[in-house]
């Protein structure tokens, strides 16, 4: 199989014995993006503009803080991110004040009418914009966005290699399936990237592989639970000792379990 720069990370991830090669790829990328955010990105105007606008999700804020490598850098990111978000919220609030003040001056009959009709006042709509702004921010994360875009491209590479490289197709078939999130990503990408016949073949093989391995890991978890029965205390653990970790990854993708 001929290696190209954009295929090397994929083929390396598929060499590992794991529950989801794409999770391994994503985990490695995530670590690189955390390091980059606390390093070179601090000096790049485009990077700071992005972090000011998006910030990070709960998980990535935790990872950035727990890295304990560059507290000053993280402080600078948070400082300018808060400044940007405060500016947005203050601007929204100032525009909302006249409409909110109208609600303050409503009489009893107007309040009763609102409860009956559920009709929104201008004040309600203004507060709704405030809420929408906060909800939009909650869904943003500079690192999540990079990860999603990169993994999407790597999933397309996987589909390409499967369709063009017989050696990779053999490796693909030998894996233990994927987490449910990346299982879905592969099915979606196959429909977009492959012709009708190839998509049907890929999807059938993938679904059969996934169901077989979901059965496998469920059996392992089941045996894990049975080992707590005194009747089985002298029986071997088989492959179930770490089945909780692997089954959680299979269900929700990789996570940092202690």
């Amino acid at each position: 199989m001929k290696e190209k720069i954009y295929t090397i990370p994929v083929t390396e991830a598929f060499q590992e014995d794991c529950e989801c090669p794409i999770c391994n790829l994503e985990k490695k990328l995530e670590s690189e993006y955390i390091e980059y955010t606390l390093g070179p990105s601090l000096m790049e105007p485009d990077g700071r503009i992005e972090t000011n606008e998006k910030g990070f999700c709960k998980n990535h804020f935790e990872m950035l803080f727990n890295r304990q490598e560059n507290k000053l850098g993280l402080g600078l990111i948070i400082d300018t991110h808060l400044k940007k978000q405060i500016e947005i919220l203050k601007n929204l609030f100032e525009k909302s004040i006249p409409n909110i003040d109208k609600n303050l001056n409503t009489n009893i009959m107007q309040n009763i009418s609102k409860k009956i009709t559920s009709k929104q006042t201008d004040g309600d709509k203004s507060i709704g914009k405030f809420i929408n702004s906060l909800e939009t921010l909650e869904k943003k994360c500079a690192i999540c966005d990079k990860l999603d875009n990169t993994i999407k491209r790597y999933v397309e590479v996987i589909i390409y290699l499967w369709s063009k490289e017989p050696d990779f197709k053999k490796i693909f078939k030998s894996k233990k399936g994927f987490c449910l999130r990346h299982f879905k990503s592969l099915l979606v990408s196959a429909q977009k990237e492959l012709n009708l016949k190839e998509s049907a073949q890929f999807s059938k093989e993938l679904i059969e592989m996934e169901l077989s391995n979901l059965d496998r890991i469920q059996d392992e978890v089941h045996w894990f639970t049975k080992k707590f029965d005194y009747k089985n205390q002298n029986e071997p653990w088989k492959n179930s000792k770490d089945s909780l970790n692997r089954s959680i990854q299979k269900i929700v993708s990789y996570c940092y379990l202690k």
Side-chain angles (χ1 to χ4, degrees):
M1 182 170 63
K2 295 180 181 179
E3 293 277 28
K4 298 179 181 179
I5 292 176
Y6 61 86
T7 67
I8 291 173
V10 171
T11 54
E12 286 180 348
F14 272 78
Q15 295 299 323
E16 298 182 40
D17 180 27
C18 61
E19 294 295 341
C20 179
I22 303 177
C23 277
N24 284 358
L25 189 58
E26 189 170 12
K27 188 175 181 180
K28 182 180 178 183
L29 283 169
E30 183 177 54
S31 179
E32 291 173 358
Y33 289 155
I34 292 289
E35 186 175 346
Y36 177 76
T37 300
L38 292 173
S41 180
L42 286 165
M43 305 303 294
E44 296 177 359
D46 288 347
R48 292 300 293 276
I49 289 171
E50 185 178 19
T51 57
N52 288 347
E53 178 197 345
K54 298 178 180 179
F56 306 96
C57 65
K58 175 179 177 291
N59 288 340
H60 287 133
F61 259 127
E62 287 177 354
M63 292 181 72
L64 288 164
F65 180 83
N66 292 338
R67 196 77 169 230
Q68 295 289 313
E69 287 182 2
N70 188 355
K71 285 190 174 182
L72 172 59
L74 182 57
L76 292 170
I77 291 170
I78 293 173
D79 180 28
T80 54
H81 171 66
L82 279 174
K83 184 178 180 181
K84 175 68 175 178
Q85 298 309 315
I86 290 168
E87 179 186 334
I88 292 170
L89 294 175
K90 280 184 176 180
N91 185 47
L92 277 173
F93 182 57
E94 287 172 5
K95 291 179 179 179
S96 301
I97 289 174
N99 291 330
I100 294 173
D101 284 346
K102 289 180 185 178
N103 283 9
L104 288 173
N105 298 319
T106 55
N107 56 43
I108 295 174
M109 292 305 297
Q110 287 173 318
N111 281 327
I112 293 173
S113 175
K114 181 190 174 185
K115 288 181 180 180
I116 294 172
T117 63
S118 298
K119 184 178 179 180
Q120 281 195 322
T121 65
D122 290 339
D124 295 332
K125 291 175 183 177
S126 293
I127 295 171
K129 290 180 181 179
F130 209 86
I131 293 168
N132 288 338
S133 177
L134 294 170
E135 289 179 342
T136 299
L137 180 61
E138 284 178 5
K139 296 173 184 176
K140 290 181 179 180
C141 174
I143 292 176
C144 282
D145 287 351
K146 284 189 178 72
L147 276 175
D148 290 344
N149 291 332
T150 307
I151 290 299
K152 183 179 178 180
R153 293 198 298 271
Y154 278 136
V155 168
E156 291 171 356
V157 171
I158 292 168
I159 301 297
Y160 170 81
L161 289 172
W162 179 91
S163 66
K164 302 296 183 182
E165 298 286 350
D167 289 343
F168 181 81
K169 184 179 284 190
K170 291 178 183 177
I171 295 170
F172 185 91
K173 287 181 179 180
S174 71
K175 305 316 293 179
K176 296 178 177 178
F178 302 86
C179 72
L180 294 179
R181 181 164 66 91
H182 291 135
F183 171 53
K184 181 191 74 173
S185 298
L186 287 165
L187 290 171
V188 170
S189 186
Q191 289 188 319
K192 293 179 180 178
E193 304 297 325
L194 300 174
N195 64 40
L196 194 60
K197 184 176 180 179
E198 285 181 327
S199 176
Q201 181 187 352
F202 177 86
S203 298
K204 183 179 179 182
E205 291 178 3
L206 176 62
I207 293 169
E208 288 174 345
M209 175 201 296
E210 187 72 10
L211 291 175
S212 173
N213 281 284
L214 286 172
D215 282 337
R216 168 187 56 80
I217 204 161
Q218 189 270 325
D219 286 342
E220 291 169 357
V221 174
H222 182 67
W223 181 244
F224 176 88
T225 65
K226 299 293 283 184
K227 273 291 293 175
F228 288 84
D229 187 332
Y230 75 95
K231 297 176 183 176
N232 298 317
Q233 61 183 348
N234 295 321
E235 296 295 325
W237 281 92
K238 300 178 185 178
N239 200 32
S240 69
K241 271 193 173 182
D242 65 342
S243 61
L244 289 184
N245 308 53
R246 291 183 290 105
S247 62
I248 292 171
Q249 178 190 353
K250 207 73 167 177
I251 297 167
V252 298
S253 189
Y254 76 94
C255 46
Y256 298 93
L257 303 176
K258 295 181 180 180

